[in-house]
């Protein structure tokens, strides 16, 4: 494997042009923390973004940051922490569950559209993205969007690049919103609810005017793995409130009163709440050192528990729920069972199942990304051909 690590946008463009002319494919990567994710890429050359690092522009008063794509995520978060700001979409760290090393990059976060528990109210990573610079498959340097939050020039292109996993272009720079970090947070815990009861409780909580910023259900098979076993024994449904201390207290009281109709309510203080939601974000129960298949399933919030119940009739499945039940983390006890998982998703109204982890042989036999409808697949192919006519960027990463 040949490692190519440009230190400037122009150098990256030169590398891409040479590969486009020869038809030699490139594996696009950042810190390699999601190594092995997606369909296998056949390439002997890897184009890495880690040589493009550093904060380009950051004025906390504007709540906008521009950063080179290879900048470590930790460096971005440290700068934001110092100014009392944050990445609203709470990006997951894939290293624990995938068993990878390396250092996550900010470009990788947007390329994979990585989003955590706060997506409920803050949107996905792409919803914070204002502008990008990237090299297309012809070796041309493209700029879309801008640094001003009101500027929507090129907005569609910006959102198209986010979540494209390096198949449309080599990201060199990203500009994104950075809102204030909440001053404090607390979490309400409802013990003992089964999956269906928890779905109803979470729906009721989200309908209240209290701005719940996290809603997850942890069945008894995983509860003991969170907070080093400090959660109540059995199932736990958890609801997060964030903001100014006085506001949090008032909203928490209202939430707890409403939730007492479902279960006896307990609370977590700020340190334990922060730790819990980080563990939920990073899928701690399945960071088990194994290669047992793990699926990330996105469905309508009310159908997540129905999917798990149906699957358990035919396969060994462990699961827990984030995003009010709309994000289901599944760990299969044997094979990935991709056809089974996707068949039940379709039967329950649709959604997406993405294979995050599996043994190498199982990964090779299972499509990592949910198959697109024929019309969407044709459109995706046309877009790919427009951005990367020679087909050199991460070929087959997201499909044929």
């Amino acid at each position: 494997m040949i490692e190519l690590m440009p230190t400037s946008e122009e150098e990256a463009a030169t590398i891409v042009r040479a590969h486009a002319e020869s038809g030699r494919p490139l594996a696009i990567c950042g810190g390699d923390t999601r190594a092995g994710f997606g369909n296998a890429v056949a390439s002997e050359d890897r184009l890495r973004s880690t040589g493009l690092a550093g904060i380009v522009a950051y004025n906390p008063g504007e709540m906008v940051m521009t950063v080179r794509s290879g900048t470590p995520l930790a460096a971005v978060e440290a700068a934001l922490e110092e100014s009392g700001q944050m990445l609203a979409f709470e990006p997951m760290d894939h290293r624990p569950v995938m068993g990878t090393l390396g250092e996550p990059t900010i470009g990788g976060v947007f390329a994979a559209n990585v989003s955590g528990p706060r997506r409920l109210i803050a949107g996905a990573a792409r919803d914070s993205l204002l502008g990008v610079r990237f090299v297309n498959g012809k070796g041309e340097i493209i700029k879309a969007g801008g640094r001003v939050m009101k500027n929507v020039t090129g907005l569609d292109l910006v959102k198209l690049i986010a979540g494209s996993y390096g198949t449309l272009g080599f990201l060199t720079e990203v500009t994104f919103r950075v809102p204030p970090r909440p001053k404090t947070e607390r979490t309400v815990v409802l013990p003992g609810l089964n999956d269906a009861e928890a779905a109803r409780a979470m729906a009721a909580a989200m309908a209240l005017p209290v701005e719940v910023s996290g809603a997850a259900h942890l069945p008894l098979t995983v509860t003991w793995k969170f907070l080093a076993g400090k959660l109540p024994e059995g199932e736990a449904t958890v609801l997060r409130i964030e903001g100014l201390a006085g506001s949090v207290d008032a909203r928490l009281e209202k939430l707890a009163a409403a939730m007492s109709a479902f279960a006896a309510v307990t609370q977590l203080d700020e340190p334990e709440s922060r730790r819990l939601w980080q563990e939920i974000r990073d899928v701690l129960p399945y960071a088990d050192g194994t290669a047992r298949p793990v699926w990330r399933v996105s469905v309508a919030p009310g159908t997540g528990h129905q999917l798990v119940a149906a699957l358990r009739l035919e396969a060994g499945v462990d699961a827990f729920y984030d995003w009010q039940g709309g994000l289901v983390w599944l760990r299969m006890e044997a094979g990935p069972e991709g056809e089974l998982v996707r068949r039940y998703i379709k039967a329950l109204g649709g959604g997406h199942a993405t294979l995050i982890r599996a043994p190498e042989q199982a990964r090779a036999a299972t499509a990592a990304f949910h198959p697109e409808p024929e019309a969407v697949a044709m459109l995706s192919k046309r877009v790919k051909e427009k951005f990367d006519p020679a087909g050199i960027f991460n070929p087959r990463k997201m499909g044929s």
Side-chain angles (χ1 to χ4, degrees), residues 33-307:
T33 60
R34 282 173 287 277
F37 176 70
N39 303 316
V41 175
S43 173
E44 295 181 1
D45 296 358
R46 288 207 301 184
L47 182 60
R48 302 180 67 97
S49 66
T50 46
L52 302 169
I55 295 173
V56 176
Y58 176 39
N59 182 339
E62 296 176 350
M63 294 191 293
V64 173
M65 177 182 272
T66 298
V67 187
R68 294 186 179 91
S69 63
T71 307
L73 177 61
V76 172
E77 292 183 322
L80 294 175
E81 177 86 29
E82 189 175 334
S83 298
Q85 294 178 331
M86 66 174 182
L87 296 171
F89 50 90
E90 211 168 358
M92 171 186 177
D93 185 347
H94 282 80
R95 288 174 293 184
V97 74
M98 296 191 70
T100 53
L101 301 174
E103 188 71 31
T105 63
I106 190 65
V109 165
F110 285 108
N113 194 31
V114 181
S115 311
R118 203 181 288 111
R119 188 190 188 282
L120 273 174
I121 60 170
R126 64 162 54 93
D127 296 307
S128 289
L129 194 60
L130 296 171
V132 294
R133 291 179 66 94
F134 64 96
V135 179
N136 69 11
K138 301 175 185 178
E140 300 168 335
I141 297 171
I142 307 296
K143 177 184 177 182
R147 290 188 182 135
V148 181
M149 291 177 66
K150 291 185 295 184
N151 185 356
V152 294
T153 304
L155 179 63
D156 290 343
L157 183 55
V158 170
K159 293 198 182 290
L160 190 63
I161 289 293
S164 63
Y165 291 86
T167 61
L168 300 181
F170 178 67
L171 268 177
T172 58
E173 185 179 286
V174 288
T175 298
F176 46 92
R177 299 181 181 92
V178 287
R181 180 180 300 276
K183 296 296 184 184
T184 189
E185 68 173 69
R186 304 270 289 284
T187 293
V188 163
V189 181
L190 309 179
L193 302 182
N194 63 35
D195 289 7
E197 292 167 339
R200 290 193 291 271
M202 289 189 290
M206 295 306 299
L208 293 171
V210 295
E211 296 180 50
V212 172
S213 68
H217 177 60
L218 316 174
L220 56 84
T221 55
V222 300
T223 309
W224 61 276
K225 297 183 181 181
F226 290 99
L227 293 181
K230 292 180 181 178
L231 286 173
E233 188 175 346
E235 302 89 348
T237 306
V238 291
L239 304 163
R240 180 175 61 184
I241 298 283
E242 298 178 295
L244 297 172
S247 172
V248 166
D249 289 343
R251 288 182 287 133
L252 195 73
E253 183 178 353
K254 193 171 193 176
L255 176 63
M259 292 300 101
S260 64
F262 294 91
V265 174
T266 60
Q267 298 179 15
L268 300 178
D269 60 14
E270 181 179 1
E272 288 187 330
S273 177
R274 288 193 187 280
R275 179 180 170 189
L276 173 66
W277 288 99
Q278 180 177 324
E279 292 175 350
I280 291 171
R281 180 198 74 183
D282 294 343
V283 196
L284 178 68
Y286 306 147
D288 52 13
T290 76
R292 280 184 288 183
V294 172
W295 289 94
R296 179 185 184 274
V297 177
S298 178
V299 291
T303 61
H305 68 282
Q306 298 176 46
L307 171 67

Side-chain angles (χ1 to χ4, degrees), residues 296-373:
R296 179 185 184 274
V297 177
S298 178
V299 291
T303 61
H305 68 282
Q306 298 176 46
L307 171 67
V308 174
L311 289 172
R312 281 178 172 156
L313 296 175
E314 300 191 47
V317 180
D318 194 27
F320 74 94
Y321 310 83
D322 197 0
W323 300 357
Q324 194 200 323
L327 174 61
V328 187
W329 289 101
L330 299 175
R331 187 187 64 193
M332 314 302 288
E333 298 307 312
E337 301 283 3
E339 189 278 331
L340 182 69
V341 170
R342 286 168 172 154
R343 173 158 51 87
Y344 275 120
I345 289 173
K346 183 178 180 180
L348 288 166
H352 299 274
T354 305
L355 186 61
I356 298 295
R357 183 186 78 193
E360 187 173 348
Q361 187 173 359
R363 283 208 322 267
T366 306
F369 293 94
H370 205 88
E372 294 178 324

